[in-house]
Amino acid sequence: MIDVTLERISKQFGNVSGVNDVNVEIRSGEFFTLLGPSGCGKTTTLRMIAGFYYPSAGRILFGGQDVTNLPPNKRNTGMVFQNYALFPHMTVFENIAFGLQTRKQPKAVIQEKVERALAQVHLTTYGSRRIDQLSGGQQQRVALARALVIQPDLLLLDEPLSNLDAKLREETRLEIKKLQLELGVTTLYVTHDQAEAMSMSDRIMVMQGGVVQQIGTPQEIYNQPVNRFVSSFIGETNLWEGIIERMEGDDVYVRVSPTILLHASASHTSPTCNLRVGVPIAVSFRPESIKEAEAQHTDRAGSFITSLIKVSEFTGVSVQYITDADGLLLKAMFVNLGHQLRERGEQVTFFIPKESVYLIE
Ligand SMILES: Nc1ncnc2c1ncn2[C@@H]1O[C@H](COP(=O)(O)OP(=O)(O)OP(=O)(O)O)[C@@H](O)[C@H]1O
Ligand SMILES: [Mg+2]
């Protein structure tokens, strides 16, 4: 187990900037996720940590030691590549043993370690199979076993679940998390799937265009996004632009349309937010925070908004409405309690509690 420091690292590919000035400390034993859309620099960051790319600027430290100039095989990291990179003509056993053989370990030790790794990923009886005789999920587990078998100080996983179907993804995600907790190994996990990142990570680093947008726990990223990008990339949200029309103590009123004045709180804002009457501002509120307007809400602070239902989606667990509020797109989500579904064309009055509105500069 080691901690990892990325000290202002950048990677330039010709005149393309892959990663720009990433600065972060990953704690020993932490499950740390790099999250962001395709091309944002996740794989490039991971490859620099593994030693496959040399940073154009900055330093990488493992446990306080500068490893920037060390080749990959001297860093003791286990990596699962985005495409697994297994050897198709070799057996499962040979694939997993490969890293130990290149480290010139004795045969008996290799045998024992590979068997242990196979057991960790529930593939005990598969050692003699060829890779091309395995399912996608089994190949994924071989790749994981191959990374674990060298007892790495640091586990690097690049979209390890991307080739699996939804059900298997969820199962494997739990298995990886359990294994990581058991072994206590510092783990860097790459995904573009925000649900995966939220459910597995101690902390998440959100990237866009090679630049870090926010680093925080899943709750911080979800509840206190620092900017519009993070707010809309993580989970579903209603993101509207407006102008601050009035402020009284903690109460902030934002004009978002000719008929809608949204009631928000001065204490629920992104860190850089500058609240003054007349300034443009974004408001973000989650579809699940919306209530249907009923008498019991009238004593709470918030806004009533009348909206026209455009689409209703029944997912089983929830009901989601896509609606039009004075020309603005408003998404609302309710837990399914078996009530009658609202129909397209119906008018509904929603209640947006003041405390669920988040202001972003
Ligand atoms: N070897 C390379 N040569 C030139 N440009 C590269 C190279 N590798 C990556 N890039 C560019 O750097 C940027 C970041 O790429 P990277 O592979 O890190 O993205 P990613 O976040 O892993 O995306 P994905 O989710 O699609 O895997 C992209 O614009 C990409 O085109
Ligand atoms: Mg990638």
Side-chain angles (χ1 to χ4, degrees), residues 218-234:
Q219 292 91 327
E220 283 164 354
I221 301 266
Y222 191 82
N223 293 329
Q224 291 136 41
V226 295
N227 59 30
R228 288 166 174 74
F229 174 77
V230 176
S231 150
S232 52
F233 188 73
I234 311 295

Side-chain angles (χ1 to χ4, degrees), residues 277-290:
V277 170
V279 302
I281 200 150
V283 296
S284 167
F285 56 98
R286 302 285 182 186
E288 71 269 19
S289 68
I290 297 173

Side-chain angles (χ1 to χ4, degrees), residues 48-302:
M48 286 193 280
I49 297 169
F52 296 113
Y53 285 162
Y54 191 79
S56 313
R59 296 199 308 160
I60 299 170
L61 297 99
F62 286 2
Q65 301 273 17
D66 190 337
V67 298
T68 319
N69 292 308
L70 282 188
N73 60 350
K74 295 271 162 57
R75 297 193 185 193
N76 202 33
T77 59
M79 180 145 174
V80 173
F81 292 88
Q82 197 159 1
N83 55 7
Y84 306 162
L86 296 169
F87 304 116
H89 56 283
M90 297 208 285
T91 65
V92 169
F93 188 98
E94 289 162 350
N95 263 278
I96 299 173
F98 188 79
L100 300 171
Q101 279 157 354
T102 57
R103 283 171 166 77
K104 304 261 186 304
Q105 299 222 350
K107 236 179 158 166
V109 173
I110 293 180
Q111 183 75 30
E112 190 206 314
K113 286 188 174 174
V114 172
E115 278 172 12
R116 184 166 2 119
L118 279 171
Q120 279 172 336
V121 299
H122 310 295
L123 286 177
T124 308
T125 59
Y126 286 79
S128 57
R129 286 259 197 122
R130 274 208 332 264
I131 294 302
D132 56 13
Q133 298 170 325
L134 298 178
S135 74
Q138 289 162 343
Q139 290 184 24
Q140 188 277 330
R141 284 185 274 161
V142 174
L144 188 60
R146 191 177 61 173
L148 289 172
V149 76
I150 59 163
Q151 290 163 297
D153 293 322
L154 180 63
L155 192 57
L156 304 171
L157 306 173
D158 194 352
E159 306 250 10
L161 310 183
S162 56
N163 298 335
L164 309 184
D165 66 55
K167 183 98 190 335
L168 202 55
R169 267 181 98 100
E170 217 162 288
E171 281 171 25
T172 316
R173 150 172 132 189
L174 267 174
E175 269 175 32
I176 291 180
K177 181 68 192 175
K178 260 170 54 191
L179 205 56
Q180 192 266 343
L181 285 171
E182 264 167 48
L183 302 173
V185 58
T186 311
T187 300
L188 258 93
Y189 189 91
V190 163
T191 183
H192 61 263
D193 180 332
Q194 49 96 14
E196 206 170 287
M198 299 283 283
S199 64
M200 298 177 85
S201 317
D202 294 316
R203 282 190 305 158
I204 298 172
M205 174 162 101
V206 184
M207 299 178 74
Q208 190 202 17
V211 178
V212 175
Q213 305 292 309
Q214 185 168 6
I215 299 171
T217 63
Q219 292 91 327
E220 283 164 354
I221 301 266
Y222 191 82
N223 293 329
Q224 291 136 41
V226 295
N227 59 30
R228 288 166 174 74
F229 174 77
V230 176
S231 150
S232 52
F233 188 73
I234 311 295
E236 289 252 20
T237 197
N238 293 292
L239 188 66
W240 292 348
E241 302 293 332
I243 305 261
I244 299 180
E245 187 167 296
R246 199 148 56 82
M247 290 176 59
E248 288 155 15
D250 183 58
D251 295 312
V252 180
Y253 297 87
V254 182
R255 174 64 63 191
V256 291
S257 86
T259 63
I260 304 174
L261 188 65
L262 204 66
H263 189 175
S265 161
S267 51
H268 198 211
T269 70
S270 68
T272 55
C273 209
N274 174 19
L275 297 179
R276 264 181 304 118
V277 170
V279 302
I281 200 150
V283 296
S284 167
F285 56 98
R286 302 285 182 186
E288 71 269 19
S289 68
I290 297 173
K291 316 279 178 228
E292 286 219 47
E294 287 156 9
Q296 74 242 37
H297 297 303
T298 54
D299 57 346
R300 290 175 68 187

Side-chain angles (χ1 to χ4, degrees), residues 238-241 256-258 260 305 307-308 323-331:
N238 293 292
L239 188 66
W240 292 348
E241 302 293 332
V256 291
S257 86
I260 304 174
I305 296 180
S307 207
L308 186 69
T323 74
D324 179 306
D326 196 16
L328 298 168
L329 169 70
L330 194 165
K331 288 176 277 185

